[in-house]
Amino acid sequence: MDRYMAPMTEYVTVEDHSVLPRDGTIKLHGPAGFEGMRKAGRLAAEILDALAPLVQPGVRTDYLDDVVRQMTLDAGAVPATMGYRGYAHSSCISINHVVCHGIPSDKTLKDGDIVNIDVTPLLDGWHGDSSRMYLVGDVPLKARRLVDVTYECLMIGIEQAKPGARLGDIGAAIQAHAEKQRYGVVREFCGHGLGRLFHDAPEVVHAARAGTGPELRPGMFFTIEPMINLGKPGVKILEDGWTAVTRDRSLSAQFEHSIGITEDGCEIFTASPKGLDKPPYAV
Ligand code: MF3
Ligand code: CO
Ligand code: CO
């Protein structure tokens, strides 16, 4: 090719009953999609709310996973992670230097840990994907600051999400905020389109250049889920094939919301009905 061709972004308007394949197009949803995501997102938030009083020193992470599965099933949903690419659990529980995809086990939480719990109920065909950080007992100031700044990164990213903005504006705002504190923004994992599919186009990277990427349009659904390291951004995957940890073993934090672009901004589908969006939860 003798000249550079800008990549084309294609958009497709989704009929509310349809499950289209993952074909690289960005789907634009209508009112029934918003209604479906509102319900799935609310369930994700209610599950994360219910975990707040349970995250205590001494609790096993597979117990917390059992609570997630039971609440999900009781609500008539299924955990989308169960059976996803061979994953066998209802949540991911990532402690301290674990960046994401921590596997629930007989391991117990200890005083001073910071932990991310990530849930994705699939309710009536719609995916509500959200995660929050929890503080276990007395957490040192350095770790609490990382958690606070990571939450700010998510919300600053969400502020950019409106029609006419570019997808890269989200990552640019997140990266600027994190790097101002000399934190590292993880590059290996990103946010993603979702709806009837768990992981769909577009990829929502958390470090980017402003003004780049597809234009945001009403009806787009995607997650923003920045992973921010106290040290360098590098990660590695453990032998189990899932657990991602920081290469330098520094602490890592993450928050995730599922959002939909509206005519004048965005709707957060996974906002906490109890206002427990960031710790301390005081429950
Ligand atoms: N919930 C994660 C996300 O935010 C995905 C977890 S996939 C699993 O995209 F298989 F690791 F559970
Ligand atoms: Co996600
Ligand atoms: Co998630």
Side-chain angles (χ1 to χ4, degrees):
M1 223 172 22
D2 61 358
R3 88 194 164 83
Y4 174 74
M5 307 251 293
M8 283 275 293
T9 302
E10 289 188 70
Y11 303 87
V12 58
T13 304
V14 177
E15 295 297 332
D16 291 317
H17 57 271
S18 62
V19 185
L20 296 172
R22 181 172 182 173
D23 61 359
T25 58
I26 298 176
K27 299 175 178 80
L28 303 177
H29 298 269
F34 275 85
E35 204 37 57
M37 286 301 287
R38 226 166 258 147
K39 289 184 181 147
R42 186 183 173 91
L43 177 58
E46 286 170 347
I47 294 167
L48 294 178
D49 284 356
L51 293 173
L54 307 179
V55 176
Q56 298 290 344
V59 75
R60 283 168 53 148
T61 59
D62 56 6
Y63 168 73
L64 298 172
D65 189 65
D66 287 344
V67 171
V68 172
R69 183 173 46 262
Q70 204 52 59
M71 270 195 82
T72 306
L73 297 174
D74 286 350
V78 292
T81 51
M82 277 182 80
Y84 179 80
R85 298 185 181 201
Y87 195 79
H89 306 272
S90 304
S91 62
C92 296
I93 303 186
S94 304
I95 305 168
N96 295 337
H97 70 293
V98 179
V99 172
C100 63
H101 302 165
I103 301 174
S105 72
D106 58 4
K107 198 176 155 76
T108 56
L109 299 177
K110 60 180 199 317
D111 188 60
D113 284 347
I114 59 170
V115 58
N116 176 277
I117 306 182
D118 191 336
V119 301
T120 311
L122 169 58
L123 179 63
D124 299 335
W126 298 96
H127 292 82
D129 188 5
S130 186
S131 81
R132 295 181 203 155
M133 296 302 295
Y134 298 80
L135 307 176
V136 184
D138 275 325
V139 171
L141 180 61
K142 238 174 87 157
R144 276 187 280 136
R145 254 195 82 237
L146 173 68
V147 169
D148 284 347
V149 171
T150 303
Y151 182 75
E152 290 164 11
C153 283
L154 170 61
M155 298 315 288
I156 286 168
I158 290 175
E159 278 171 30
Q160 314 305 314
K162 48 180 179 280
R166 299 282 183 145
L167 197 61
D169 297 347
I170 295 171
I174 291 170
Q175 182 180 11
H177 191 64
E179 291 182 352
K180 202 158 53 189
Q181 333 283 325
R182 303 187 181 217
Y183 294 157
V185 180
V186 171
R187 308 297 205 276
E188 283 84 349
F189 302 96
C190 50
H192 48 91
L194 83 173
R196 293 204 171 273
L197 294 176
F198 188 177
H199 292 114
D200 201 356
E203 283 191 356
V204 182
V205 299
H206 304 112
R209 282 174 54 191
T212 64
E215 189 181 319
L216 303 184
R217 300 199 183 167
M220 283 176 64
F221 296 165
F222 55 86
T223 72
I224 305 179
E225 48 182 299
M227 282 141 276
I228 307 294
N229 299 347
L230 197 49
K232 296 203 167 67
V235 311
K236 65 175 184 188
I237 310 291
L238 299 187
E239 299 282 78
D240 60 27
W242 283 105
T243 312
V245 300
T246 55
R247 275 197 172 273
D248 62 8
R249 309 233 355 138
S250 66
L251 291 178
S252 187
Q254 178 182 28
F255 287 86
E256 174 177 28
H257 273 315
S258 297
I259 69 172
I261 304 297
T262 60
E263 292 301 324
D264 59 358
C266 70
E267 177 173 343
I268 303 175
F269 297 127
T270 48
S272 167
K274 292 189 170 165
L276 306 179
D277 290 291
K278 80 181 260 284
Y281 299 120
V283 286

